[in-house]
Amino acid sequence: MFRYFPTNYVWNLSVDLAIEMGARIGEIEEMCAPLQEAARQPDAAGSQAFRETWANMADKLCGLAEEDEGKGRMLSAGEKYNRAATYYLSCERLQAHGAPGRTELYQRFLQTFQRGIELSRENCERVEIPYEGKHLSGLLVRAEGVSGPAPILVQVNGLDSTKEMKYRVGLPAWLAKRGVSSLIIDQPGTGEALRLHDLTARFDSEHWASRVVDWLETRDDIDARRIGLEGVSLGGYYCPRAVAFEPRFACGVVWGANHDWRDVQKRRLEKEGSFPVPHYWSHVSWVWGAKDTDQFMAIAEQVHLDGILDRIKVPFLVTHGEKDSQIPVKWAHRTYDQLVNSPKRELKIFTEREGGVQHSSFDNSINAGQYIADWVAEVLGGRTA
């Protein structure tokens, strides 16, 4: 794990995620060098300092992109907007719920991300899926070299990630080359669903996952018999739960097992394990629609997979980093052990040899991600060569 800040795991996680999304090391240095003292400050003061330097870099890149546009250099402009969006999101993610200007910063991020996609001519289309009188937003990446309906892997967030983060890390592009499409969504409790539509998380993930399958079944470019589901981090709970109760999914993958999230919360109350974001207890209460930590802990009692996984009767891949400091590796073994009716279950623990040993491989995602892409292509009928 790259540790720019020796004493601040949460900030190091953010820096590493930004690098995985395409940040440039020179820009990382320019943003982070002034923050060494702030990294040791309390959450509110430190997060504000982080926001200022990262948003300033994003603003600068947007200004440079506008100059490129003025000269007709749209591809160069798109690349700068893409990195600017990554920096906006990286600092927005660290802000407290209700922090002044957070919503505006998030909307700035969405606009910048979309502009970058358009000018870069990337294989990525924004879509909206009807849900509860509102909608779930998604990014659709089409399979390459496929004639007719393609298989697809639906990809869902964890506690604090967004669809754009998952898109930028690279799995959708790796799948596209293997002849598999991707739909990355902001499910309830994440991204736009939470920030703009007040759709909070729910333990019965099949409720929203089934609506996604309904929507995919209406598309003539998707093979409805070959729809898989993948979840990262807390998605390592959402995904198995949804596959267990929604039989139309043809396979499942977790990138970081999260078998018993209720236990993880109890350990965190006792100061065990690393937090993914500052203001943690306020954040999880916001995500789950709880008025306080006590109400959140009552909700968390339902967030586990015991007694559920024997319902899964499709191929399933469980992956985990051997040095995950947020979710103990024992939970990956528990998930695998309970997949007793899966016709093709596999447990893959990423080690120092291939990298990706930290939580959901944020320290080095490419080898782990390519492993997942190969497995999905083999199961859903894509290609690996």
Side-chain angles (χ1 to χ4, degrees):
M1 178 179 176
F2 176 56
R3 295 177 174 84
Y4 193 100
F5 302 103
T7 63
N8 197 320
Y9 171 86
V10 174
W11 284 22
N12 289 332
L13 170 61
S14 295
V15 171
D16 284 16
L17 285 170
I19 291 172
E20 292 297 296
M21 288 189 283
R24 307 298 294 185
I25 195 65
E27 291 166 353
I28 290 285
E29 172 64 17
E30 185 175 336
M31 292 184 289
C32 291
L35 294 176
Q36 291 292 353
E37 180 58 34
R40 292 185 282 270
Q41 300 303 313
D43 280 349
S47 296
Q48 180 61 31
F50 192 102
R51 172 178 172 171
E52 289 175 3
T53 65
W54 283 62
N56 286 343
M57 174 61 75
D59 290 344
K60 181 172 76 171
L61 285 170
C62 286
L64 293 169
E66 290 169 3
E67 293 175 14
D68 286 337
E69 287 188 82
K71 297 175 183 177
R73 298 171 177 170
M74 301 306 184
L75 293 175
S76 292
E79 179 56 40
K80 293 181 179 68
Y81 283 129
N82 289 339
R83 294 202 313 284
T86 290
Y87 301 153
Y88 282 134
L89 179 59
S90 296
C91 61
E92 186 274 344
R93 178 179 163 275
L94 293 186
Q95 303 308 302
H97 172 48
R102 181 176 185 177
T103 299
E104 291 76 14
L105 179 62
Y106 181 72
Q107 290 173 326
R108 172 72 164 157
F109 151 69
L110 287 177
Q111 295 164 357
T112 304
F113 178 87
Q114 189 60 37
R115 186 62 174 159
I117 289 291
E118 292 168 355
L119 294 184
S120 301
R121 301 179 183 177
E122 295 190 24
N123 172 17
C124 181
E125 174 190 353
R126 177 188 168 85
V127 297
E128 295 181 352
I129 302 163
Y131 180 76
E132 300 293 278
K134 300 177 181 179
H135 69 261
L136 301 178
S137 59
L139 300 174
L140 180 64
V141 178
R142 289 178 170 80
E144 299 174 6
V146 174
S147 59
I152 190 165
L153 185 69
V154 180
Q155 294 151 52
V156 301
N157 298 314
L159 175 69
D160 54 275
S161 55
T162 72
K163 62 186 183 300
E164 296 85 4
M165 292 173 67
K166 286 181 64 60
Y167 169 76
R168 281 284 169 224
V169 167
L171 181 58
W174 303 330
L175 286 168
K177 291 184 180 298
R178 290 164 170 80
V180 179
S181 295
S182 291
L183 175 64
I184 317 102
I185 66 167
D186 281 339
Q187 79 269 17
T190 68
E192 290 183 54
L194 178 66
R195 290 163 172 81
L196 303 184
H197 303 298
D198 297 318
L199 292 169
T200 54
R202 49 190 304 160
F203 78 94
D204 54 344
S205 52
E206 68 274 12
H207 185 274
W208 47 260
S210 293
R211 310 293 180 84
V212 174
V213 177
D214 291 343
W215 182 82
L216 286 171
E217 287 186 331
T218 68
R219 299 185 62 94
D220 58 12
D221 58 343
I222 300 301
D223 184 346
R225 299 165 302 173
R226 296 187 288 164
I227 301 173
L229 182 64
E230 178 266 351
V232 65
S233 190
L234 185 52
Y237 162 79
Y238 293 130
C239 169
R241 165 85 196 200
V243 173
F245 287 96
E246 175 46 81
R248 289 176 292 175
F249 283 116
C251 71
V253 180
V254 296
W255 198 344
N258 224 320
H259 188 94
D260 194 337
W261 203 60
R262 61 183 173 177
D263 182 79
V264 172
Q265 304 320 299
K266 293 171 183 176
R267 302 289 79 76
R268 285 175 174 170
L269 280 175
E270 298 170 2
K271 311 300 183 184
E272 293 181 19
S274 300
F275 287 170
V277 290
H279 326 281
Y280 180 77
W281 297 109
S282 172
H283 181 82
V284 292
S285 294
W286 174 40
V287 166
W288 289 89
K291 65 180 180 181
D292 54 30
T293 301
D294 288 342
Q295 187 179 38
F296 161 71
M297 291 299 294
I299 294 171
E301 282 295 317
Q302 303 174 92
V303 188
H304 68 89
L305 296 170
D306 287 335
I308 290 172
L309 299 183
D310 61 347
R311 299 173 61 102
I312 294 178
K313 298 178 181 179
V314 295
F316 209 101
L317 172 64
V318 180
T319 76
H320 210 83
E322 70 172 356
K323 295 186 177 180
D324 190 322
S325 57
Q326 291 188 42
I327 309 296
V329 71
K330 68 179 181 180
W331 296 122
H333 291 278
R334 176 77 68 85
T335 294
Y336 174 79
D337 289 344
Q338 293 184 8
L339 288 165
V340 293
N341 290 317
S342 169
K344 177 182 170 66
R345 61 174 176 167
E346 181 178 340
L347 175 64
K348 175 62 177 177
I349 305 300
F350 297 115
T351 67
E352 292 285 3
R353 180 170 179 265
E354 64 263 72
V357 299
Q358 280 290 336
H359 183 61
S360 297
S361 304
F362 75 81
D363 55 308
N364 184 3
S365 64
I366 191 163
N367 289 343
Q370 298 264 343
Y371 189 97
I372 290 170
D374 283 336
W375 187 93
V376 170
E378 290 167 354
V379 168
L380 292 183
R383 56 182 181 268
T384 57

